[in-house]
Amino acid sequence: MPQLNLVVLDMAGTTVSDGGLVEDAFAAAARRLGEDPAPMLGHVRATMGESKISVFRHLFGGDEAMARRANTAFEEAYAERVAAGAVTPVPGAADTVRALREAGRTVVLTTGFARVTQDALLDALGWRDLADLALCPADAGGRGRPCPDLVLTALLRTGAADDVRQVAVAGDTAYDMLSGVRAGAGLVAGVLTGAHDRARLTGSGATHVLDSVAGLPALIEAVEATGAQEPVAEGPGAQEPVAGEPR
């Protein structure tokens, strides 16, 4: 098992707790456009972690102008709620990032939000200098999760790894897991503080499932020490994958 030199972390649901703010902002955006949000929320929940503009393109049947209007309304609604203090760090998240960096690892924060919203989150939390880099889909050519682009862009921008197997990915959604798997990451960890449950995470390729991101530094150290990609007892919060599910 190569050393995991680069750690790519999702934001909302993984390192940031927003208490259902994504759904609330989607609903507000739909209402601003004169649409009923109720029929849309099922798809919104199922695609948590995906680039928001991609979600709106699906919801509005490929109507690009409508999708962009909806995305702008969503970003505005989310930013208003962030400014009102509706987001907090997941307990232990900031300490986790610091511990990873102190251990010599490079940490990149990623999101499916637009740059303006990611910046609002970083400012609200005082996290501008917390990680080595912060990326949104626009930084990766416009493609967000479940494509591998954000993970691979993190590798290319930082130069922290010589091999994709030296990358660890952590997130709370199936799309985070798929993105890590498709990028060839050596460790793909799901966390249970966000949108999707253990079965959804392992079914989408999680190699480990943690109660929260706070268990990630110890898990990485344990995996490196044992030289195995299988879940190991030494990683606090690590759970066995569901039997028979794809890895």
Side-chain angles (χ1 to χ4, degrees):
M1 182 70 187
Q3 294 294 299
L4 295 163
N5 297 329
L6 174 61
V7 183
V8 181
L9 301 176
D10 172 53
M11 293 187 69
T14 303
T15 55
V16 180
S17 177
D18 65 9
L21 196 55
V22 170
E23 287 188 32
D24 185 37
F26 263 109
R31 287 192 291 269
R32 290 181 188 184
L33 296 176
E35 301 286 337
D36 179 8
M40 302 180 182
L41 288 178
H43 181 73
V44 170
R45 295 186 186 107
T47 56
M48 284 291 186
E50 185 177 1
S51 169
K52 300 302 176 281
I53 185 64
S54 298
V55 175
F56 281 118
R57 284 176 181 136
H58 174 88
L59 289 172
F60 291 105
D63 184 333
E64 185 66 17
M66 190 65 169
R68 290 191 176 278
R69 285 178 57 203
N71 190 62
T72 298
F74 166 80
E75 300 287 352
E76 289 172 350
Y78 195 93
E80 289 166 4
R81 288 154 175 78
V82 169
V87 297
T88 57
V90 166
D95 287 340
T96 293
V97 175
R98 294 187 189 102
L100 291 167
R101 295 184 72 188
E102 286 170 4
R105 308 184 201 280
T106 298
V107 180
V108 177
L109 296 174
T110 63
T111 185
F113 296 137
R115 166 59 61 192
V116 63
T117 305
Q118 186 178 43
D119 285 345
L121 281 172
L122 294 171
D123 288 338
L125 297 169
W127 281 8
R128 279 286 186 172
D129 299 317
L130 180 65
D132 293 278
L133 182 66
L135 296 173
C136 67
D139 299 314
R143 295 203 312 178
R145 297 176 292 245
C147 296
D149 301 34
L150 280 169
V151 178
L152 297 176
T153 298
L155 187 155
L156 292 170
R157 288 277 188 94
T158 64
D162 299 321
D163 186 320
V164 290
R165 292 172 297 175
Q166 295 176 318
V167 180
V169 172
D172 67 297
T173 71
Y175 280 22
D176 292 309
M177 303 300 95
L178 287 170
S179 180
V181 170
R182 292 173 180 178
L187 185 151
V188 181
V191 299
L192 298 175
T193 51
H196 294 155
D197 61 17
R198 187 188 317 280
R200 185 83 187 274
L201 295 169
T202 55
S204 297
T207 59
H208 302 75
V209 178
L210 299 168
D211 291 334
S212 85
V213 73
L216 188 60
L219 173 63
I220 289 175
E221 290 177 6
V223 168
E224 287 178 340
T226 61
Q229 290 179 291
E230 296 297 319
V232 289
E234 291 87 343
Q239 304 291 334
E240 292 290 341
V242 176
E245 297 249 323
R247 296 291 307 281

